Amino acid sequence: MSTVSRASLDQKLALAKRCSREATLAGAKAAAVATIASGIPTLASVRMLPWAKANINPTGQALIISTVAGMAYFIAADKKILSLARRHSFEEAPDHLKNTSYQGVGRPHPAFFRP
């Protein structure tokens, strides 16, 4: 069983903190854009459309806007975390796994697999 050094753990912890910070910033940016993008049509429709004026109260307006912002935050943060994890796992992979080009001259593919 191998032992893990303190320096290796500190390096992985620093990397995880940096990745979570980047994901938080990406999520916050997406939430800010989504708030504006959903707030303007929501508020405009409540003022202009008779149905929306009658049926969407201020609590409903806030719920619509905050739901969109929350969804944008979590989707953007999750995408950022997954992209960073994919990039870092590729960087730490052994060299024989990094080479993804096809080098063999094995059996030819059947006709339906040919480009």
Side-chain angles (χ1 to χ4, degrees):
M1 189 166 170
S2 66
T3 60
V4 179
S5 68
R6 173 96 175 152
S8 172
L9 288 176
D10 288 342
Q11 182 182 14
K12 287 184 180 183
L13 182 63
L15 181 65
K17 284 183 179 179
R18 193 185 80 217
C19 290
S20 65
R21 180 170 173 77
E22 287 182 31
T24 302
L25 289 175
K29 289 177 186 177
V33 170
T35 299
I36 294 169
S38 66
I40 292 171
T42 301
L43 296 174
S45 66
V46 168
R47 292 182 186 266
M48 294 180 202
L49 299 175
W51 179 90
K53 189 181 290 187
N55 293 312
I56 302 176
N57 61 12
T59 304
Q61 297 169 29
L63 185 62
I64 291 169
I65 295 168
S66 63
T67 302
V68 171
M71 288 174 25
Y73 175 84
F74 286 110
I75 290 170
D78 189 46
K79 284 179 69 174
K80 186 69 171 181
I81 288 171
L82 290 175
S83 69
L84 290 171
R86 188 177 299 116
R87 184 175 68 198
H88 293 307
S89 68
F90 183 76
E91 289 172 357
E92 294 176 2
D95 288 335
H96 71 281
L97 294 177
K98 288 183 182 178
N99 184 7
T100 58
S101 62
Y102 180 68
Q103 300 291 331
V105 290
R107 293 184 336 187
H109 292 294
F112 54 86
F113 283 137
R114 292 191 186 130

